[in-house]
Amino acid sequence: MIVKSARSNNIRVFFVGGIVRDNILGYKTSDIDILINGSAIEFAKKLPQEIKVKSIHPDFDTVKLLYKNEIIDIASSRTEHYPFSGCLPVVQKIGVPIEEDVKRRDFTINSIYCELYIINNKLSYKLIDLVEGIKDINSKTLRVLHDKSYIDDPTRILRGVEFAFRFNFDFSQHDKTLIENYLSSPIRTNMSVDRVLSVFSKIFKNKPHKEIFKKVILNKYYKILFDDVQNIDFNLVDNVLDLFSDEEFKTDDFYISLLKNQEFEILQYNSKKELFYNMKNMKKAVLACYYYKTQDKNVLWFVKNKDFKFLITGDDLINLGFKQGKIFSQIFEKLFDAKISNPQSFISKENEIDWVKNNFKS
Ligand code: ATP
């Protein structure tokens, strides 16, 4: 329906980027990204009523549509430029021909257009490959479109690393030289740090995150953001990952904390209970990084006891005749120690109530 509506308004419609690449490679893609050679916002105004506009994004002239429970992103063909290395791209012109749109893209493999038509009431398509992307897919090669590409947007280095792992591709020899040149004198003055961190985050969410992290360190890709990271002890990284393997754990946050070289002081505490709740309130990834940095043995203790919980509440103490006040925290502190050192004696709530009765007078 979108294609029909566009063609009747003399607008060309394309798939481009990941969806075309994945299709040629034989992988499934979930995103439906459509590009039109015109303004997506203007186009959305002419769509039939069955297609709902979910949101409009004037910065890049894109719209999100909802049709038959499916989200469809429509982007406008456009030219962009980077006034400074690493900054966000600035849109120059909307509605340009694809021969112009292609120039803003990262790799040749992500720059293949698939034009959609309706012929005899049937959807049909034609591949338009302006940059030999298909040849690079076949030879498993990552190649940017011009020599300034990594300087304009160094996140492309990280996107490339992720594609290399995901598809078992490699950078072309020339790209390797371009990347080396960039990393020998990275320009960070106008760098959008958040953007770089979000691409780091995306690549560390992928499997095999450990190998990707190693590659980031060994090839010094971190230089996009940081001059140097402290020597990374990969065995220790493995130990930490093993220790937290059962946890709901954001590996990307962990690796980024390591790259940021976040400093930690050994946690001070007045009671084991205080320490326990301090650690429980820390994000798992931060706790993992804390352990990597400090080797504080309390983390091992915490991980062993992380499922600890009290079965009684303050209301139970009130029912036992205690008055709310300092005594409450004393009871919970002592009960905590008793339970942690002897968990098999505290199977039920009654066990805890009996323990309170035996150890405190109301
Ligand atoms: P994925 O499978 O990870 O979603 P993708 O290539 O579809 O891969 P997107 O981030 O959705 O990734 O980007 C869609 C398209 O937009 C890319 O294929 C590429 O053509 C272009 N693109 C995305 N990021 C950049 C960038 N940093 N520089 C240039 N072009 C980009």
Side-chain angles (χ1 to χ4, degrees):
M1 184 166 304
I2 289 173
V3 180
K4 218 175 199 168
S5 178
R7 305 297 305 197
S8 65
N9 284 294
N10 262 336
I11 292 171
R12 296 172 75 187
V13 186
F14 308 87
F15 285 136
V16 59
I19 186 167
V20 183
R21 175 201 68 217
D22 290 351
N23 219 280
I24 296 173
L25 282 165
Y27 293 107
K28 272 198 171 158
T29 12
S30 48
D31 300 351
I32 306 181
D33 292 332
I34 286 178
L35 180 92
I36 59 163
N37 73 327
S39 156
I41 296 177
E42 288 308 312
F43 173 58
K45 292 178 188 161
K46 298 176 193 148
L47 285 169
Q49 278 191 342
E50 301 94 295
I51 305 175
K52 299 272 171 275
V53 178
K54 268 204 80 184
S55 56
I56 293 179
H57 307 269
D59 291 5
F60 287 90
D61 202 306
T62 58
V63 287
K64 255 187 205 314
L65 303 177
L66 181 69
Y67 179 54
K68 292 189 175 167
N69 281 334
E70 197 91 68
I71 298 278
I72 301 166
D73 285 307
I74 310 241
S76 311
S77 60
R78 60 184 186 263
T79 49
E80 290 175 350
H81 81 124
Y82 290 81
F84 309 104
S85 171
C87 70
L88 292 174
V90 176
V91 175
Q92 276 176 311
K93 205 168 167 207
I94 298 283
V96 299
I98 53 168
E99 287 74 8
E100 290 296 311
D101 177 90
V102 72
K103 292 178 188 163
R104 72 179 165 93
R105 299 194 175 269
D106 52 0
F107 296 100
T108 59
I109 63 162
N110 289 338
S111 305
I112 307 163
Y113 293 76
C114 173
E115 183 158 15
L116 303 171
Y117 300 93
I118 305 281
I119 298 179
N120 296 334
N121 256 340
K122 266 197 164 159
L123 190 62
S124 179
Y125 70 89
K126 184 175 97 191
L127 289 183
I128 305 173
D129 182 7
L130 304 165
V131 291
E132 300 200 320
I134 297 178
K135 187 171 143 216
D136 284 338
I137 288 185
N138 289 332
S139 63
K140 296 175 169 282
T141 306
L142 292 162
R143 191 191 311 278
V144 284
L145 305 184
H146 58 90
D147 284 1
K148 226 179 124 252
S149 186
Y150 294 119
I151 300 173
D152 279 346
D153 181 358
T155 66
R156 292 172 182 160
I157 299 172
L158 302 175
R159 282 176 58 84
V161 172
E162 198 263 320
F163 292 131
F165 269 98
R166 193 174 349 155
F167 303 126
N168 196 19
F169 279 26
D170 197 5
F171 289 108
S172 78
Q173 213 44 53
H174 185 58
D175 282 61
K176 284 181 188 167
T177 309
L178 293 176
I179 293 171
E180 253 171 52
N181 287 344
Y182 175 78
L183 293 177
S184 67
S185 51
I187 310 156
R188 303 196 193 103
T189 330
N190 292 288
M191 174 85 71
S192 165
V193 175
D194 285 349
R195 185 169 186 226
V196 180
L197 285 177
S198 81
V199 182
F200 265 123
S201 179
K202 187 176 172 199
I203 70 171
F204 293 142
K205 279 195 177 99
N206 266 281
K207 293 235 158 87
H209 51 77
K210 256 194 300 196
E211 279 68 17
I212 298 183
F213 179 67
K214 260 185 197 164
K215 199 155 186 165
V216 166
I217 299 299
L218 299 177
N219 291 315
K220 302 194 176 204
Y221 295 137
Y222 57 79
K223 285 196 129 194
I224 296 171
L225 278 186
F226 309 106
D227 273 334
D228 263 312
V229 290
Q230 263 195 347
N231 264 345
I232 299 281
D233 178 342
F234 290 112
N235 288 330
L236 188 51
V237 170
D238 281 347
N239 290 348
V240 174
L241 288 171
D242 285 347
L243 183 64
F244 285 89
S245 62
D246 296 336
E247 305 279 327
E248 195 190 290
F249 174 54
K250 289 177 109 190
T251 45
D252 52 323
D253 281 352
F254 170 60
Y255 291 122
I256 287 172
S257 300
L258 288 187
L259 290 181
K260 280 183 175 165
N261 199 11
Q262 209 168 326
E263 286 303 331
F264 293 96
E265 282 184 22
I266 299 268
L267 282 176
Q268 303 296 325
Y269 51 94
N270 294 317
S271 68
K272 278 276 192 191
K273 178 171 155 272
E274 184 185 314
L275 176 72
F276 178 87
Y277 283 101
N278 260 329
M279 291 192 172
K280 202 171 174 70
N281 290 332
M282 273 164 101
K283 273 192 185 168
K284 291 287 177 314
V286 175
L287 184 62
C289 192
Y290 169 81
Y291 182 57
Y292 174 89
K293 285 286 179 143
T294 62
Q295 293 286 286
D296 182 349
K297 296 260 184 312
N298 285 312
V299 177
L300 302 177
W301 166 84
F302 170 79
V303 170
K304 201 169 130 228
N305 293 295
K306 65 182 189 309
D307 295 326
F308 175 93
K309 31 179 204 293
F310 291 113
L311 302 175
I312 55 166
T313 62
D315 283 348
D316 295 310
L317 294 187
I318 289 171
N319 290 339
L320 286 173
F322 290 96
K323 285 219 166 64
Q324 209 158 358
K326 215 171 157 201
I327 185 78
F328 271 43
S329 56
Q330 286 169 359
I331 294 174
F332 279 116
E333 222 123 81
K334 292 270 182 266
L335 177 58
F336 181 89
D337 290 342
K339 269 190 84 161
I340 285 278
S341 50
N342 194 6
Q344 52 290 10
S345 305
F346 294 90
I347 310 296
S348 66
K349 189 168 168 171
E350 280 64 43
N351 295 145
E352 290 188 15
I353 290 177
D354 288 344
W355 181 90
V356 175
K357 280 183 188 161
N358 292 335
N359 289 277
F360 286 88
K361 288 215 167 16
S362 54

